[in-house]
Amino acid sequence: MSPSLSDTTLTAPRYDIYAGIHKALRSMMNDTLFSVGRVDTNDANDMHETCERVLELTEILTRHLKHENEFIHPAMEQGHLGSSLRIAEEHVQHQTAISGLREAVSRLATADSALAKRRAAHALYHDLSLFVAENFDHMHEEEAKHNAALWASYSDAELMAMEGKIVASIPLAVNLTIMRWMIPALSPGERADLLTGMRASAPAPAFAAVLDAVRPHLSALDWSKLMLALEPERMAA
Ligand SMILES: [Fe+2]
């Protein structure tokens, strides 16, 4: 019996350049949204930390938009003219929405009464929830339509090289933040593959810094699965 299309996709998947980073962004967006929803507006530390978290999210998302615009869309346009246009227009809207989120954070940080703080926190929560909803839809379209366009024009090796150029353009501290969100958001198998590859290519101190950044965000079970995958001999001893 010949395999169905879904069987073929499952047994011979193409390289998905969006998969890891989009899992990271979904996780970071969800967690940040929840932190805004439960912020204690009477607690100055919690307020400051929550505002900083939203600003950090906007920074990571701005970088992500830039990477897609500068590395992925031109490659898609080379393969098929016009294939990135619709999503590129949404990126312009997202940049405007990101500016709006920063203004909402500023209103929260400068609110001068208990009532004004509560109202500003609730307004930010709603703005961010709509932004997250729109982004989830947007990322799904990229993973479906943009991947199809990329796969039609590029080999897996070419897509991995494209991703390598994006990663090389990211400052180390920012990359650590991305790894902090990406690695816990992956399945154990994906996590082991990513870190095995990273261990083979990154300097030992950089690899250790990634493990240190990630460990507090993994359950004890997930951490032991990861250690078993990375150091099977030591874990068996
Ligand atoms: Fe995008």
Side-chain angles (χ1 to χ4, degrees):
M1 194 171 75
S2 59
S4 69
L5 182 60
S6 59
D7 288 338
T8 307
T9 308
L10 285 172
T11 53
R14 290 293 313 272
Y15 189 68
D16 184 344
I17 199 169
Y18 291 104
I21 185 63
H22 279 184
K23 278 193 175 183
L25 295 179
R26 286 184 179 102
S27 176
M28 190 180 192
M29 280 192 266
N30 272 341
D31 208 64
T32 307
L33 176 64
F34 296 157
S35 75
V36 174
R38 61 177 176 253
V39 66
D40 181 352
T41 52
N42 294 317
D43 180 332
N45 285 337
D46 192 20
M47 281 274 279
H48 177 72
E49 202 174 293
T50 303
C51 288
E52 289 299 309
R53 288 194 60 181
V54 179
L55 293 177
E56 185 176 45
L57 173 67
T58 64
E59 274 184 42
I60 295 290
L61 288 170
T62 300
R63 282 183 182 277
H64 179 64
L65 283 178
K66 199 164 173 278
H67 294 152
E68 289 182 347
N69 289 346
E70 292 180 2
F71 291 91
I72 297 181
H73 292 187
M76 290 175 65
E77 291 298 316
Q78 266 194 344
H80 187 78
L81 203 60
S83 57
S84 72
L85 280 185
R86 216 199 72 71
I87 283 290
E89 281 168 13
E90 285 192 2
H91 281 180
V92 176
Q93 293 163 16
H94 288 175
Q95 279 167 324
T96 304
I98 284 170
S99 299
L101 287 175
R102 288 175 175 157
E103 286 164 16
V105 168
S106 173
R107 284 193 291 275
L108 175 58
T110 57
D112 58 3
S113 70
L115 182 62
K117 286 176 189 173
R118 286 179 66 168
R119 283 185 173 154
H122 203 57
L124 174 59
Y125 178 72
H126 276 289
D127 289 352
L128 186 55
S129 70
L130 287 175
F131 179 79
V132 169
E134 156 62 25
N135 263 271
F136 274 34
D137 198 36
H138 173 90
M139 290 191 292
H140 181 77
E141 184 167 340
E142 287 174 335
E143 285 170 48
K145 294 182 184 167
H146 279 206
N147 266 337
L150 290 167
W151 293 341
S153 301
Y154 297 96
S155 67
D156 284 353
E158 288 169 327
L159 293 173
M160 286 179 204
M162 197 185 297
E163 185 179 63
K165 282 185 190 163
I166 295 173
V167 173
S169 77
I170 302 173
L172 277 179
V174 176
N175 200 36
L176 206 55
T177 300
I178 293 171
M179 289 299 114
R180 171 264 172 270
W181 289 102
M182 184 187 295
I183 292 167
L186 298 176
S187 68
E190 292 168 335
R191 201 177 289 140
D193 287 348
L194 176 68
L195 285 165
T196 302
M198 193 184 294
R199 182 174 55 182
S201 60
F207 181 68
V210 169
L211 285 183
D212 285 347
V214 162
R215 185 169 189 176
H217 307 288
L218 288 179
S219 68
L221 180 60
D222 279 338
W223 179 257
S224 69
K225 285 177 182 173
L226 181 59
M227 289 303 103
L228 187 62
L230 291 175
E231 302 177 352
E233 305 84 3
R234 220 184 90 187
M235 293 298 282

